[in-house]
Every structure is written in C-alpha cells, then in structure tokens.
Amino acid sequence: MTKDKEPIVRSFHFVCMITLIFGTIIQFSAESEFAVNESNKGLTHVPKGLPPKTIVLDMSQNYISELHLSDISFLSGLRVLRLSHNRLQYLDISIFKFNQDLEYLDLSHNQLQKISCHAVTSLKHLDLSFNDFDALPICEEFGNLTQLNFLGLSAKHLQQSDLLPVAHLHLSGILLELEGYYVKEHETESLQILNTKTLHLIFHPNNFFSVQANISVSNVGCLQLSNIRLKDENCHILITFLSELTRGPNLLNITFNHVETTWKCLVRVFQFLWPKPVEYLNIYNATIVEKIDKEDFTYSETSLKALKIEHITNKVFLFSQTVLYTVLSEMNIMMLTISDTPFIHMLCPQAPSTFKFLNFTQNVFTDSIFQECSTLVRLETLILQKNELKDLFKVGLMTKDMPSLEMLDVSWNSLEYDGRDRNCTWAERIEVLNLSSNILTDSVFRCLPPRLRVLDLHSNRITSIPENVIHLEALQELNVASNSLAHLPGCDSFSSLSVLIIDYNSVSNPSAHFFQSCQKIRSINAGNNPFQCTCELREFIRSIGQVSSEVVEGWPDSYKCDYPESYKGTLLKDFHVSPLSCNTALLIATIGVTGLVLAVAVTVLCVYFDLPWYLRMVCQWTQTRHRARNTSLHKLQRALQFHAFISYSEHDSAWVKNELLPNLEKEDIRICLHERNFVPGKSIVENIINCIEKSYKSIFVLSPNFVQSEWCHYELYFAHHNLFHEGSNNLILILLDPIPQNSIPSKYHKLKALMAQRTYLEWPKEKSKHGLFWANIRAAFNVKLTLTTENNDVKT
C-alpha cells in the first residue's frame, strides 16, 4: 500500500524526535558478539572478570556508587558504557583515559553533584542529565570533544556563559533537564545556546510552569518541551519563555509533550505561535482541565503548515463541542492531525479551507462526518482509521464534494456494503483507497472509485471477486490478503495490475493462467495459502518457476503444501509427481498397451507350452483328489496296492508284456496295468490318478511312440505332479528307443527336463547287458507293501 501522504511533517518530525530523546544511540555491528549486559542485577560495584574484548557494557539500573580506573581501564576496545540509574555521586572522567574508543557514555539518572573533567576525544554521546548538579557541568576540556554529537545536562541554575566552552561544537542535540530548577520570584536567569539543531527542555512533572529564564538560541531547528503544567494564571510565563526561543528564523518545529492546560491557555499558545516562523507544531499526551468556553481566534497569515495533536484527555465533561471544533476546523493550515482523542465529530469549515491533509485516526467519528461538506476543496489526503464508520455507501457520499481528494484511508472500521441497486458516488480523483480491516464482502467490488491505482482490502470477508465488477483499468496495486478467496483473480477487469497481495487466503488450486492474463504483474505475494498438492498444481508451480524470484514475494518459504497429509509442509518447489499419474489419456494408453503386450505374451506362452492343456489337467487332478478324499474319510490310512504303475504306448505293448512284466512279476513285484486294473464305470483320468496313488512307483516306457500318445502324457503329468505332492521320488523312466530332443513336443517340457537330468534307464540292445538292467530295476523296489483289494488285505 502506498504510504500516507503526510510528506514533510512526518519525515521532519521523525528526525527531530530521534535526536531529541536522549540523542542518537549508536549501533555497532559487533555489539551482539562482544556485549555484556549487567543491568538490573543489584550490583554495588563493577563486577570483576569482564571480558577484555568487551565493546558494549550495560550496568544501568543497579546500586553502583563509585567508579574507579581499575574497573574499566583494561577494556581497551570499549565503545559503549551505560551507567544510568545508579547511585554515582562523584566522577573523575580521567578514569576513561585508557578507553580511547569510547563513543557513548550514559551517566543519566544518578546523584552526581560534581565531576572532574578530562577530554575523552572519541566521545560522540555524553548524557549527564537527571543528576544533582547545581550548575551546568561544563568543563573547558569539553571543548576538545570535536566528535561530540549529543550532550545531556541538568542544573538548578543557569548562567549566560555556561555553554560557551562547547559553543563552537556542531551538536545535533542538547537535552537540558530542569526538574530541580528554581529561582526566586521576579528573578530571571539567562542562557545562550549557540550551536545545536535540536533542544529538549524537561521540566518538573508536578510543578506548574514557573521557569523565568531567557534562553536564546541561534541555530535550533527543533524544540521540545516536556512536562508543562499550565493554568490561566501562569499561561503568560510560558508565552514569555517562548518569546526568546522563537525569536530566530530557524526554529521550524516545536513539540509539547506531557501537557496539562486549560482550553483558554492552549488557544493563547496557538495564537502566540500563529505569526511565528514555526511550521510544525506537535502536541502529545495533553490533558485539558477546568472548562472549555468560546475563545476568539484570529486566523492571520501564518507560516504554520501542520498541527499534530495525539492522545488528548479531556477532563471537562460539560462543554459545547462546537466551541472545541470551531477553533480547529477553521485553521488556515495545510495539515491537521487529531488522533487518539475522544472527539466524536468535526465541523465542516465555513469557508473554502486550506486543508490538504486531515488525519483523524482513532476517534469516534460516525458516518455523518463531513456529509454535505463542500468547503474541503483542496483536501488531497483524508485518514479516518479506527473510528466507527459503518456504511461504505455513506463514505462515498462524504467524498463527492472533495474534488482534490486522492487518498482515502478508512481502515479499521466496521464498514459494510449491502450491495443494493444503488450507485456509489465517489470523489473523481481518488487513486489510493484503504478499506482494510473492515467487514466488507464480495459486493465491495461494485462500490469502488473508477480511477483507483492502489486498493487495500486485506482483512475483510471477501470470498470471491465477482465477474461483473467495475472495470478498474488504472488499478496497479491490489491487496486482498487475509480474506477467504479460493482463486487468484484474473486481469480481465484489472488490465494494469502490477502488484497483487493475496497471501493468507483459501487459495488451494491456483490457475497457471494467471500469469498469462496478467502480463503486467511485477510483484505477487500468494504465500501462506492451503495449497492442494495434486496434479492440477503442477502447471502453477511450473509457471512460478519461469517467473523471476523478485516477482514472487516470499518464494519459496511461504509456499507449502497443505493437502494431502503426506505432503503437508512440503515446499511447492519440492513437490514432484510423475507425468503418467497426472495424464489420464497417457495412463489409459499405457495400461492398454501393457495389457495388449501381456495378452500377446500369454497367448504365445499358451500356444508354445500348451497352457490350456495343463490347466485342464490341474483341474481334473484337483477334482479327482477331492472325490478320492471324500470316499476315504472313513479310513484311517490309504494303503499302497501295487509296487508299480506302468505307462506305455500301445505300440510298445509287445515289449512290455513279453519282457518287462515277466521279469518284474517273477520277483513278486505287483504291477498295475490299465487293461486289467482300471475300474469300469470311472473316467480314464480318475482311473489313472487312482492307480498312480495306489502304486509305490510309476514306470514310464519312453520311446518315439510314447511322446505321440496323449494318454501317456496324461499319465506322466499326474505321476510327476504326485511326486511333488507326496514328496518322494516315485518315477522310473525306461528309454526303450532313443528320442531326438527336437521330436519332443513343447508341452512335454517336464519330460525334456527329466531326460536332461539323465534320470532314465536305457534298454540295452546287447543281451549281455540285460542282467544289469533288471538288477537296477529290482533295486528300486525295496519296500514291503500292505496290499489291499476292495474286500480283503494281502501281505507280501
């Protein structure tokens, strides 16, 4: 928000006040590192063991009554020494002769009555005020303090030549404390102050003003008088006192602080100063007592530009408000400030006024203020902060007869706008409008001056900016912080917008389109919002990343994720999400392609490995075993009935029946053959499974004929499956005739694996080797079986 237009008075008065209040306090870069704070610790003497490298030493607010050379001589780098509010009664300044860098020495608020002088030429700030000196403690040696900037003094009596030793020094400020000052009635003392820019005189806070001293000044530009108690009878004493001080042409700023006065005396002081060269008059912390009656005031030509009255307490409860307001409202000055007072109203000037600046902060003005007031024709700045304004429509009407008004501040009120179909009327030239800290809603955008350049609406109740807002083509700065806005405003209605402040709102998914629609934006502050870190936010983050860091205020520290919980507190610049999860079309395409590739792969595998066949086998195996278990639940155990089940191709049956069976059965090896042991009525698959489960071994006669047999494949599959199910090695492979690897179908991958492991017995063509072959076969059968039939058990 553009600063308040109180140009000269604020800056000029600020400079004076900084210098007046105990001088300019010097700041040191090393202070934090080499500062020792021993203040308010009940000390009666300077503590031992201070660090030799100490630069700043604060021993204020203790009970120290003496200061010796040995206390601080070893602190060669000491630059700041604060000893205020102690009990020093005597001081020999020569104890600082080894502290050649000492620049700031505060000895105020002690009980000093006498000092022995020594020139510490490095001193810039020396404060001896609020002590018990009878005369001003000025030594000839002070004339050598060529760097001295501020001098604080106190005395009970004044002499014309007291300050001559320092008259040639160019001081910025002198503080003269005169709380103990006293002379007999009708006696007058004099003091000449030659070279200082500011002079601060402090009197006794409980005594009525009675100082009868002629203090003449040469170059004083700022004068501050503190603790002034006046009544009608002694008002002339103050005016006489001021006569000498205001004689020169350089005194431009006068400040009265802590004043108790009657209304009549206050008006007399105003009237006395009116024709003087004084340009800025400030009154702080004033109390009006006794009565307020009508006082005549002559508004002659004046050099006064600004009158500032802050914090007025009125102890007169029955009086005419018009009497009070008239004196102030008719002043022919440019700037008037009356703040923090109980004023409930202000009169409209009777004739065209010279006011250009009016500040009525923290009063109790209502919407009736300045209604139908057509005499404030030169008014450029009006500040009505912290009052009791309630209707924005009436505020607009108030300004309609202020043709020069450019800046209006009505923040910190209770302003509302009902949004009814009534056109708001404003002064045509308003460019800066402060409506912050009110209770305005979205409808405020339908009641705004059309030529605004700066608009402050922070801390209201705005949830959105309506589409049908007044087109503020000249608006450059918009502050809508601390509202409830959910979106960034576009620049369709604010084509010149260059500064946007929208932090502390409810913006969760800001649009990246903002930077495209607001081409003139030079500064945006959108931090401290509840950002939802989802896919939609990626474009906004990317847009911010493309903008200069000087444009995005608070980036990146003020921009954090609020949702989802897993990202809460994460800086937006650190939020990353894969493009695949945010692009629906790409995600669908990826899933489709992956599914298609998977389907093709499955199809290829099914064709190559005959997976449907294996699935069918698994299903049949599971069903058959389930039926077998259901029929055997009444038995405690299932006994083996055969030593071996033989699987072979019908084309190899001659060898099986003529060679294999006779040689096995003559050894009492019980063999299961499908043609004699399959149970009629059961399916072939169920018979195969039952025979394999009732047999200790399964013998497979392998040959080129075997691999071409579908049923042989079934039997091999079930036998191999039973191998893993039972956990035993129950397969005997007999290679009757060689089988080329390339002739074995792909679905016989188990057979390929078994043959690759050389786990088969090869039938020898030479008869001489047949004996060894049968011996190997018989060796595989070394178990006693409990053989069962359907009706009885037979042991072998």
Side-chain angles (χ1 to χ4, degrees):
M1 170 59 71
T2 303
K3 301 295 183 184
D4 296 344
K5 294 175 64 178
E6 190 177 4
I8 307 173
V9 62
R10 286 188 180 273
S11 58
F12 189 77
H13 177 63
F14 177 76
V15 172
C16 292
M17 289 295 294
I18 290 298
T19 310
L20 287 171
I21 301 176
F22 300 105
T24 304
I25 299 178
I26 306 170
Q27 301 295 324
F28 301 100
S29 59
E31 180 169 338
S32 60
E33 185 175 0
F34 300 107
V36 176
N37 186 355
E38 296 289 340
S39 65
N40 199 21
K41 292 187 177 180
L43 301 176
T44 58
H45 59 274
V46 178
K48 304 297 183 181
L50 292 174
K53 293 185 179 181
T54 299
I55 292 178
V56 177
L57 177 58
D58 188 350
M59 293 187 294
S60 61
Q61 301 185 58
N62 282 294
Y63 304 100
I64 299 173
S65 58
E66 292 182 325
L67 197 62
H68 303 285
L69 177 65
S70 59
D71 291 333
I72 58 172
S73 59
F74 63 95
L75 302 177
S76 58
L78 188 65
R79 299 175 68 182
V80 177
L81 178 59
R82 297 185 177 97
L83 277 165
S84 62
H85 295 276
N86 275 279
R87 295 180 177 179
L88 295 173
Q89 297 182 359
Y90 170 78
L91 180 67
D92 186 351
I93 297 183
S94 66
I95 66 174
F96 301 115
K97 62 184 177 181
F98 296 111
N99 307 111
Q100 294 299 315
D101 295 330
L102 187 63
E103 298 180 355
Y104 186 104
L105 179 59
D106 185 355
L107 296 165
S108 64
H109 296 276
N110 275 276
Q111 300 169 10
L112 290 172
Q113 299 178 358
K114 184 179 179 182
I115 62 173
S116 295
C117 293
H118 180 84
V120 183
T121 56
S122 58
L123 276 178
K124 296 180 180 179
H125 182 108
L126 176 60
D127 194 349
L128 297 168
S129 62
F130 295 94
N131 278 285
D132 295 336
F133 297 112
D134 187 63
L136 291 178
I138 300 296
C139 309
E140 292 292 335
E141 290 86 348
F142 283 4
N144 297 324
L145 304 179
T146 55
Q147 300 185 57
L148 194 64
N149 188 50
F150 172 84
L151 181 60
L153 303 168
S154 63
K156 296 177 182 177
H157 299 283
L158 302 174
Q159 293 184 13
Q160 178 77 18
S161 59
D162 279 349
L163 293 177
L164 284 180
V166 294
H168 62 284
L169 301 179
H170 298 281
L171 300 175
S172 293
I174 291 179
L175 171 65
L176 184 56
E177 179 264 310
L178 299 174
E179 286 191 3
Y181 179 81
Y182 174 77
V183 295
K184 295 180 180 179
E185 191 174 356
H186 305 301
E187 291 184 3
T188 302
E189 295 181 344
S190 299
L191 179 67
Q192 186 175 16
I193 301 175
L194 299 177
N195 260 329
T196 186
K197 295 178 181 178
T198 65
L199 175 62
H200 186 184
L201 302 177
I202 301 177
F203 305 99
H204 199 286
N206 299 323
N207 296 340
F208 285 102
F209 188 83
S210 60
V211 176
Q212 301 187 76
N214 294 326
I215 300 178
S216 60
V217 295
S218 299
N219 299 316
V220 172
C222 297
L223 172 66
Q224 182 174 353
L225 306 180
S226 294
N227 301 331
I228 307 292
R229 290 192 68 194
L230 300 169
K231 54 184 178 180
D232 293 346
E233 291 76 12
N234 72 331
C235 190
H236 69 283
I237 300 177
L238 175 64
I239 293 176
T240 302
F241 182 77
L242 290 173
S243 298
E244 189 66 28
L245 289 170
T246 57
R247 192 179 301 277
N250 296 320
L251 184 60
L252 303 179
N253 189 304
I254 294 182
T255 298
F256 297 102
N257 192 19
H258 293 288
V259 180
E260 180 181 300
T261 180
T262 64
W263 173 247
K264 180 178 182 180
C265 183
L266 183 61
V267 173
R268 287 180 63 188
V269 172
F270 285 161
Q271 191 70 78
F272 167 76
L273 294 174
W274 213 251
K276 300 294 181 179
V278 177
E279 296 182 354
Y280 304 97
L281 177 58
N282 312 291
I283 302 175
Y284 300 111
N285 303 301
T287 302
I288 299 177
V289 297
E290 294 186 3
K291 59 183 178 178
I292 298 177
D293 293 329
K294 178 177 173 55
E295 302 292 337
D296 293 330
F297 194 92
T298 303
Y299 299 100
S300 58
E301 289 294 325
T302 181
S303 298
L304 192 66
K305 296 179 179 179
L307 170 63
K308 178 185 289 186
I309 303 174
E310 289 189 1
H311 192 67
I312 304 299
T313 300
N314 185 7
K315 292 189 176 181
V316 182
F317 300 105
L318 295 177
F319 65 97
S320 170
Q321 296 282 344
T322 304
V323 169
L324 190 64
Y325 301 147
T326 299
V327 172
L328 299 171
S329 64
E330 300 300 327
M331 288 184 171
N332 53 335
I333 59 178
M334 290 193 301
M335 292 177 279
L336 174 64
T337 297
I338 302 176
S339 62
D340 193 14
T341 72
F343 282 17
I344 61 174
H345 197 63
M346 177 55 61
L347 296 178
C348 180
Q350 296 180 1
S353 174
T354 57
F355 288 134
K356 290 186 176 182
F357 177 97
L358 290 177
N359 183 353
F360 297 114
T361 296
Q362 202 168 343
N363 289 283
V364 285
F365 292 173
T366 64
D367 296 327
S368 61
I369 188 71
F370 296 138
Q371 295 292 336
E372 303 298 330
C373 181
S374 59
T375 55
L376 295 172
V377 292
R378 298 185 183 180
L379 187 62
E380 298 175 357
T381 299
L382 177 59
I383 301 175
L384 294 172
Q385 285 184 10
K386 297 182 180 180
N387 279 276
E388 296 187 1
L389 307 178
K390 295 182 178 180
D391 191 343
L392 183 62
F393 180 79
K394 291 182 178 179
V395 170
L397 286 179
M398 174 190 68
T399 69
K400 70 181 181 65
D401 294 320
M402 302 176 183
S404 301
L405 188 64
E406 297 179 357
M407 187 273 181
L408 175 64
D409 185 348
V410 286
S411 59
W412 293 96
N413 281 277
S414 300
L415 286 173
E416 295 180 273
Y417 177 64
D418 55 20
R420 295 175 184 172
D421 293 334
R422 50 178 182 169
N423 294 325
C424 293
T425 303
W426 295 91
E428 292 184 358
R429 297 182 61 180
I430 293 181
E431 295 184 348
V432 180
L433 178 60
N434 190 342
L435 295 173
S436 63
S437 300
N438 283 285
I439 51 177
L440 296 164
T441 60
D442 305 357
S443 58
V444 66
F445 288 96
R446 294 193 287 271
C447 183
L448 294 172
R451 296 186 181 181
L452 281 180
R453 289 189 302 104
V454 179
L455 175 61
D456 191 342
L457 284 166
H458 82 266
S459 299
N460 277 281
R461 299 178 181 179
I462 302 170
T463 59
S464 65
I465 299 178
E467 294 182 359
N468 57 339
V469 301
I470 297 174
H471 284 261
L472 302 176
E473 303 292 343
L475 188 65
Q476 298 176 8
E477 299 182 23
L478 175 61
N479 187 345
V480 285
S482 301
N483 280 279
S484 300
L485 288 161
H487 303 286
L488 294 180
C491 289
D492 295 336
S493 300
F494 316 124
S495 58
S496 300
L497 190 65
S498 62
V499 177
L500 174 64
I501 304 173
I502 194 172
D503 54 335
Y504 293 101
N505 273 272
S506 301
V507 179
S508 58
N509 290 307
S511 172
H513 178 68
F514 171 81
F515 293 100
Q516 299 174 3
S517 65
C518 299
Q519 296 290 330
K520 296 182 179 180
I521 202 73
R522 295 294 176 268
S523 175
I524 177 174
N525 187 345
N528 300 294
N529 276 287
F531 295 108
Q532 291 189 12
C533 289
T534 57
C535 294
E536 291 76 10
L537 199 65
R538 291 187 314 145
E539 289 299 323
F540 176 75
I541 297 174
R542 185 180 297 111
S543 298
I544 282 187
Q546 296 172 352
V547 178
S548 170
S549 59
E550 297 178 355
V551 173
V552 185
E553 299 290 337
W555 178 267
D557 296 337
S558 299
Y559 296 75
K560 299 179 181 179
C561 299
D562 186 71
Y563 176 87
E565 193 67 27
S566 58
Y567 283 105
K568 191 176 182 68
T570 302
L571 296 177
L572 294 195
K573 74 177 184 66
D574 297 329
F575 169 67
H576 303 289
V577 63
S578 66
L580 181 61
S581 62
C582 292
N583 191 325
T584 305
L586 181 60
L587 180 61
I588 293 174
T590 303
I591 294 174
V593 171
T594 304
L596 181 60
V597 171
L598 183 60
V600 171
V602 170
T603 302
V604 171
L605 290 173
C606 287
V607 172
Y608 185 76
F609 293 108
D610 203 0
L611 291 181
W613 183 88
Y614 280 103
L615 292 175
R616 188 167 64 253
M617 290 301 98
V618 170
C619 182
Q620 290 178 349
W621 167 268
T622 304
Q623 291 175 353
T624 302
R625 285 191 60 84
H626 180 69
R627 286 196 299 270
R629 280 197 301 269
N630 289 340
T631 59
S632 303
L633 288 176
H634 64 284
K635 296 181 180 179
L636 294 176
Q637 104 180 34
R638 186 184 183 106
L640 296 174
Q641 297 180 13
F642 304 100
H643 285 92
F645 167 74
I646 298 179
S647 177
Y648 58 92
S649 171
E650 286 298 325
H651 298 286
D652 301 321
S653 61
W655 182 84
V656 171
K657 293 175 180 179
N658 297 329
E659 295 285 347
L660 183 61
L661 282 178
N663 281 283
L664 294 178
E665 288 182 340
K666 74 179 181 180
E667 300 292 336
D668 293 328
I669 297 176
R670 189 177 177 85
I671 301 300
C672 179
L673 290 176
H674 62 272
E675 60 261 34
R676 72 185 182 190
N677 294 108
F678 276 13
V679 179
K682 292 185 178 181
S683 67
I684 296 176
V685 173
E686 189 172 354
N687 271 308
I688 293 173
I689 294 173
N690 286 335
C691 285
I692 290 173
E693 288 190 338
K694 293 178 182 179
S695 301
Y696 177 58
K697 297 283 185 177
S698 294
I699 300 174
F700 290 87
V701 180
L702 304 179
S703 69
N705 298 318
F706 182 92
V707 299
Q708 300 300 323
S709 172
E710 187 76 15
W711 289 113
C712 288
H713 192 197
Y714 282 153
E715 292 166 350
L716 178 63
Y717 175 82
F718 291 137
H720 191 263
H721 193 83
N722 192 57
L723 167 67
F724 291 102
H725 180 75
E726 299 294 341
S728 62
N729 186 9
N730 60 0
L731 295 181
I732 298 176
L733 303 181
I734 299 174
L735 184 61
L736 184 60
D737 293 313
I739 305 174
Q741 284 285 332
N742 56 7
S743 67
I744 303 176
S746 59
K747 63 183 179 182
Y748 276 51
H749 63 277
K750 292 182 180 178
L751 178 59
K752 287 184 178 182
L754 291 171
M755 293 185 70
Q757 297 171 5
R758 306 291 295 179
T759 59
Y760 57 86
L761 297 173
E762 189 173 356
W763 170 249
K765 301 302 181 184
E766 301 88 349
K767 289 186 178 182
S768 61
K769 297 180 179 179
H770 287 181
L772 180 60
F773 174 82
W774 298 119
N776 288 332
I777 292 291
R778 288 193 299 271
F781 298 98
N782 58 354
V783 65
K784 288 186 176 182
L785 304 179
T786 301
L787 301 176
T788 65
T789 62
E790 294 296 330
N791 301 314
N792 64 324
D793 296 339
V794 179
K795 291 185 179 180
T796 65

